[in-house]
Amino acid sequence: MTETVVITGASAGIGRATAELFGKRGANVVLLARGVDGLRAAAKAVEDAGGTALEISTDVADFQAVDAAAAMAETSFGPIDIWVNVAFTSVFAPFWEIKPEEFRRVTEVSYLGYVHGTMAALARMRPRNRGTIVQVGSALGYRAIPLQSAYCGAKHAINGFTESIRTELMHDHSKVRITVVQMPAVNTPQFNWVLSRLPRRPQPVPPIYEPEVAAEGVVFAADHPDRKEHWVGASTVGTIVAQKFAAPLLDQYLARTGFNSQQTDEKEPATRPNNLWHPVDQAPGSDQGAHGRFDDRAKSSSVQLTVTERVEEAGATVRRAFDSLIGVGRDNFLGGGRSRQTKPASKSPQEPWSEATSQQTDQEALVTGHDSTPPAESEATLSETPTPSEIRMSETGADIHQPPETGGLDPLEGAPPLSGMDVPPAPTAPPASTEDTPWYRGPDTPPHGESPASAGVGTLSPEEGAQVADQEVMAPTETDDPDH
């Protein structure tokens, strides 16, 4: 699926180089800037690289204009996938030589322009719960230098408000990502058109990198937005680390060297145009492209960036593999838990001789007082199998239909007296041992061939033994039966 990318400050410098690099990926690139001629040239460069371009003349200091451009981008290409904030302007001068309106203008473009772009992007990305915002920052957002107070203030502000937004998105568990790319000194046209009150022509503090190096860092950050920050160039790393551990020493160093290091030996023309209030690349033929005038001194690659990208790629691969393993383990664990909770216990056919089954046998059912025999089988058992009471009564000649005299309770089941054939079910075969048959503890006679003593009568209480003896005496004998 073709990605849609919006880039502010896309007519020159880092924004222009980034647009061309996304064009090589075949992306839909929406170009926002003020200079019409620069935008047209940037759109042609994107299309020549293989992408599709839409240029929109926009002043990022105007939120309504930025929001309208975002709406036009989605109307033309669909949902915005990546938003890159690059646009800025500046004033080279000591702070006390900058007018209040000039300082405000730098802040509105270089800081509020990022705020406006981020607002417009989030208004569309958050409801869809996807998208990436890349803020192009600077090492000067960590370590400010003289003669650029307005610009350094804006870059510091970008770091602060981006951190705040990131934590808010994390709190909401949003899948929208926002990251910052901290840049070194880059060879861009800004040193040709930024307002300057210096006696000599401004320049970036060496070492200087080509804009394509910076663009590579931006695109890499867009592809790896989970990382909070990305640093481009060894000088960026050195500046940020030195500021963390030796800020007072840097103050002393920059106070001595910071003025001369930002100026060449050439005298600055007093009438040179600047882009603080109006674009310099507006008129036909005024496009300045991505590069400034320092190609002979700029580096076209960064070992630090290359190493960082390789390490990040390797780390991302390991994280993806680890997350995949964790996901599989979690799915297996949760799936197994659901299976254990919802899978019904399987019942095997009930066989009295099966000792391996977990089901109750008929003997176990008798012990627990539950009949596990199906209804049809139960009726057959009642009609075919004599109960223990019937066995005793048949031997003594008593009427098997007459309930025993037990004070209203059936001694076999401990239930109210049963009448007729309403007798409890019995096992299909008498057990071989009396140890597992509690119904021998009642007044019934043990199986054939056993005497009460051998059947375990001695285990009865004295009261139970007396009751058994009385019932044996009261039972009729063959000689008392009038029919024989």
Side-chain angles (χ1 to χ4, degrees):
M1 182 177 179
T2 304
E3 59 188 353
T4 297
V5 184
V6 178
I7 303 173
T8 70
S11 63
I14 296 174
R16 173 80 164 260
T18 302
E20 294 180 15
L21 194 53
F22 274 114
K24 291 180 180 179
R25 291 167 43 150
N28 299 320
V29 185
V30 182
L31 310 166
L32 307 186
R34 293 177 299 166
V36 174
D37 193 61
L39 280 173
R40 289 174 179 169
K44 184 178 184 305
V46 168
E47 293 177 348
D48 291 344
T52 303
L54 172 66
E55 69 269 21
I56 306 173
S57 181
T58 309
D59 185 349
V60 296
D62 180 357
F63 172 72
Q64 298 302 326
V66 174
D67 194 59
M72 189 179 300
E74 295 210 329
T75 300
S76 301
F77 297 129
I80 298 170
D81 299 299
I82 301 170
W83 186 290
V84 182
N85 286 310
V86 189
F88 76 95
T89 189
S90 185
V91 175
F92 286 107
F95 173 73
W96 43 83
E97 294 183 14
I98 302 174
K99 298 177 182 179
E101 59 271 21
E102 294 170 346
F103 203 103
R104 182 183 303 110
R105 176 62 180 172
V106 172
T107 303
E108 289 174 347
V109 173
S110 303
Y111 171 51
L112 292 182
Y114 280 56
V115 173
H116 296 161
T118 303
M119 283 183 173
L122 287 178
R124 291 157 176 83
M125 293 178 178
R126 286 185 64 247
R128 294 191 289 264
N129 199 30
R130 64 182 180 88
T132 299
I133 300 172
V134 180
Q135 317 282 38
V136 176
S138 170
L140 303 186
Y142 279 89
R143 173 66 251 184
I145 60 176
L147 305 178
Q148 296 197 53
S149 57
Y151 177 83
C152 292
K155 291 302 182 182
H156 275 75
I158 290 168
N159 288 340
F161 103 94
T162 301
E163 281 186 336
S164 179
I165 294 170
R166 182 185 297 106
T167 56
E168 291 168 359
L169 292 171
M170 293 169 64
H171 173 270
D172 290 345
H173 302 286
S174 174
K175 294 183 180 179
V176 177
R177 298 292 183 261
I178 186 168
T179 186
V180 183
V181 187
Q182 308 294 5
M183 296 294 177
V186 182
N187 175 32
T188 70
Q190 67 158 312
F191 301 95
N192 297 336
W193 61 26
V194 166
L195 174 61
S196 175
R197 293 197 171 94
L198 301 178
R200 292 171 287 161
R201 300 189 71 178
Q203 68 170 1
V205 179
I208 307 169
Y209 293 86
E210 294 286 22
E212 286 77 15
V213 177
E216 181 182 344
V218 172
V219 173
F220 184 82
D223 292 338
H224 301 81
D226 288 330
R227 187 170 170 179
K228 177 180 178 179
E229 285 189 359
H230 297 260
W231 298 348
V232 177
S235 59
T236 298
V237 176
T239 299
I240 294 174
V241 173
Q243 174 65 14
K244 289 181 180 294
F245 296 102
L249 294 179
L250 286 180
D251 289 345
Q252 298 287 339
Y253 174 77
L254 290 170
R256 294 194 308 270
T257 65
F259 279 67
N260 286 331
S261 63
Q262 294 187 74
Q263 301 178 72
T264 67
D265 295 333
E266 304 174 75
K267 186 176 178 64
E268 176 76 322
T271 59
R272 178 179 67 80
N274 65 81
N275 70 347
L276 183 63
W277 302 103
H278 304 286
V280 173
D281 56 348
Q282 178 74 11
S286 59
D287 171 51
Q288 298 199 25
H291 289 228
R293 64 181 193 274
F294 304 102
D295 283 336
D296 58 334
R297 299 166 53 189
K299 298 182 178 182
S300 59
S301 64
S302 168
V303 174
Q304 174 273 335
L305 180 60
T306 301
V307 172
T308 299
E309 290 176 351
R310 299 297 179 269
V311 172
E312 179 68 20
E313 287 285 3
T317 301
V318 172
R319 286 194 300 271
R320 286 193 295 268
F322 182 75
D323 291 343
S324 177
L325 290 175
I326 292 297
V328 170
R330 181 173 57 248
D331 291 344
N332 290 340
F333 177 78
L334 295 178
R338 285 191 295 268
S339 299
R340 289 191 295 271
Q341 295 173 5
T342 61
K343 183 178 180 180
S346 59
K347 288 189 176 183
S348 58
Q350 200 178 101
E351 300 293 349
W353 59 81
S354 176
E355 297 179 357
T357 179
S358 61
Q359 302 297 314
Q360 285 183 325
T361 63
D362 289 338
Q363 297 179 21
E364 294 172 329
L366 186 59
V367 173
T368 58
H370 297 288
D371 183 13
S372 59
T373 307
E377 184 181 344
S378 179
E379 294 178 2
T381 303
L382 289 175
S383 61
E384 297 174 6
T385 306
T387 67
S389 296
E390 291 176 325
I391 296 173
R392 180 181 60 79
M393 294 299 184
S394 63
E395 293 176 353
T396 58
D399 185 358
I400 64 174
H401 299 294
Q402 180 66 30
E405 298 177 6
T406 58
L409 294 176
D410 189 336
L412 297 179
E413 297 292 332
L418 305 176
S419 61
M421 293 299 294
D422 295 333
V423 294
T428 57
S433 172
T434 61
E435 295 179 358
D436 298 327
T437 53
W439 44 272
Y440 282 123
R441 292 176 58 84
D444 297 311
T445 305
H448 298 286
E450 295 186 12
S451 65
S454 63
V457 175
T459 62
L460 302 177
S461 65
E463 292 79 10
E464 290 174 332
Q467 185 179 5
V468 171
D470 292 342
Q471 291 183 2
E472 291 294 333
V473 172
M474 295 173 62
T477 62
E478 294 183 0
T479 57
D480 294 330
D481 192 338
D483 295 332
H484 291 80

